[in-house]
Amino acid sequence: MKQELESIVDEFQGKRILVIGDMVADIYLDGRISRISREAPVLVLQQAGEKVVAGGAANVVNNVATLGGNVFAVGLLGLDNAAKGLKEALEKNGAHTEGLFCDEKRPTISKTRIIAGGRATVSQQIVRIDKESDKPMQKAHESQIMQYIKGLLPKIDGVVLSDYGSGTITEKLQQQIISYCRAHNIPSMVDSRYDIHRFKDIGYVKQNDAELAAAVGRELNDDESIFTAGQELLEELNADGVLVTRGEKGMVLLEKDGAIHDIPVSDKSEVFDVSGAGDTCVSTVILALAAGVEPARAAELSNIASGIAVRKLGTATVSSEELRRALR
């Protein structure tokens, strides 16, 4: 079966994918422990390094790119170093960033992690500082994005809406994209952490089991309760399918024809970090759907790709070659 899945990786190379959503700059500031401050009982660090990693929707962009897709990032950034670092991180992998518009009055969404350590000590995160605007997107920027998307959609093979609750995907943008995809049979998929109920008529939905439990307002303690909740969400959103990731239990895909595909985890041997594995899952599914692959096969492939991502530390990407090797 794995050999059959390998051919899908060839099929989705070069597929044109639009990813819109909350683009997050994950910033890591490394410091070497110098001394205890005289001002307060806290460590003084000498800054030793800084790097910006693509997070949120930007991690989906990077995963689509490294898996071999031709990806177009759409979102809103500030005029700051986080925006500069984030664009560089995406462009390094060949992503198109013309759709990342700038609002000088708001910061780029960022999560800055301060990492302290020394030559003889283990480095660890001591604090995280988040930055984002709580104001809605200005109408002028929404119009810019709508105009850009209008020109881009006719050339696109698949769309991902990556909603981390920061307001990039407005109601107007959501309606524009979903209605176009429906009218032109373009595969679409949404991953919304906090507000999945608003994405009616979307093609496919990705939720983890905790998000699904929050969405239906009850605990989901066994397979049957997850299947029932997924079916409820499927019908409510009038979607084609709901994909629920379940950690060490793998994932389940529920389709609108009533089919349920329970897919066990591909490899339990080494799980280091689940950060961003959902983004790898979404990226693989949309690429496969864009290539015309059956949804169940797309989900099986994404299960293997996610299995690679969780064996890496931090927010990670998976390359097409890594995926091919896992399938041999």
Side-chain angles (χ1 to χ4, degrees), residues 37-77:
S37 172
R38 294 180 179 177
E39 302 168 2
V42 297
L43 294 173
V44 174
L45 306 178
Q46 289 290 334
Q47 185 169 337
E50 177 178 352
K51 67 177 178 180
V52 178
V53 177
N59 191 40
V60 181
V61 173
N62 257 354
N63 269 276
V64 171
T66 56
L67 284 165
N70 189 8
V71 61
F72 297 77
V74 179
L76 195 61
L77 306 180

Side-chain angles (χ1 to χ4, degrees), residues 153 200 206:
L153 278 172
K200 298 190 186 306
K206 183 265 172 188

Side-chain angles (χ1 to χ4, degrees), residues 201-263:
D201 295 323
I202 189 73
Y204 288 85
V205 177
K206 183 265 172 188
Q207 294 271 269
N208 63 37
D209 46 7
E211 292 165 346
L212 181 61
V216 298
R218 61 179 186 271
E219 293 185 0
L220 306 174
N221 296 320
D222 53 33
D223 293 351
E224 195 59 38
S225 63
I226 287 179
F227 297 165
T228 302
Q231 189 66 36
E232 289 174 11
L233 192 61
L234 182 72
E235 294 174 4
E236 177 193 333
L237 299 182
N238 191 33
D240 296 324
V242 170
L243 180 64
V244 185
T245 55
R246 305 179 61 193
E248 75 281 4
K249 293 185 177 178
M251 57 179 64
V252 59
L253 172 67
L254 301 103
E255 296 191 80
K256 65 179 179 182
D257 63 2
I260 298 176
H261 308 275
D262 197 7
I263 305 166

Side-chain angles (χ1 to χ4, degrees), residues 87-101:
K87 290 181 78 170
E88 287 175 355
L90 299 179
E91 290 167 355
K92 184 175 66 177
N93 287 319
H96 299 271
T97 60
E98 302 86 356
L100 295 177
F101 294 92

Side-chain angles (χ1 to χ4, degrees), residues 263-299:
I263 305 166
V265 70
S266 60
D267 186 355
K268 294 183 181 178
S269 60
E270 295 174 313
V271 176
F272 294 130
D273 194 337
V274 298
S275 304
D279 298 329
T280 302
C281 168
V282 169
S283 302
T284 310
V285 170
I286 197 65
L287 280 165
L289 293 176
V293 172
E294 289 295 319
R297 308 295 281 174

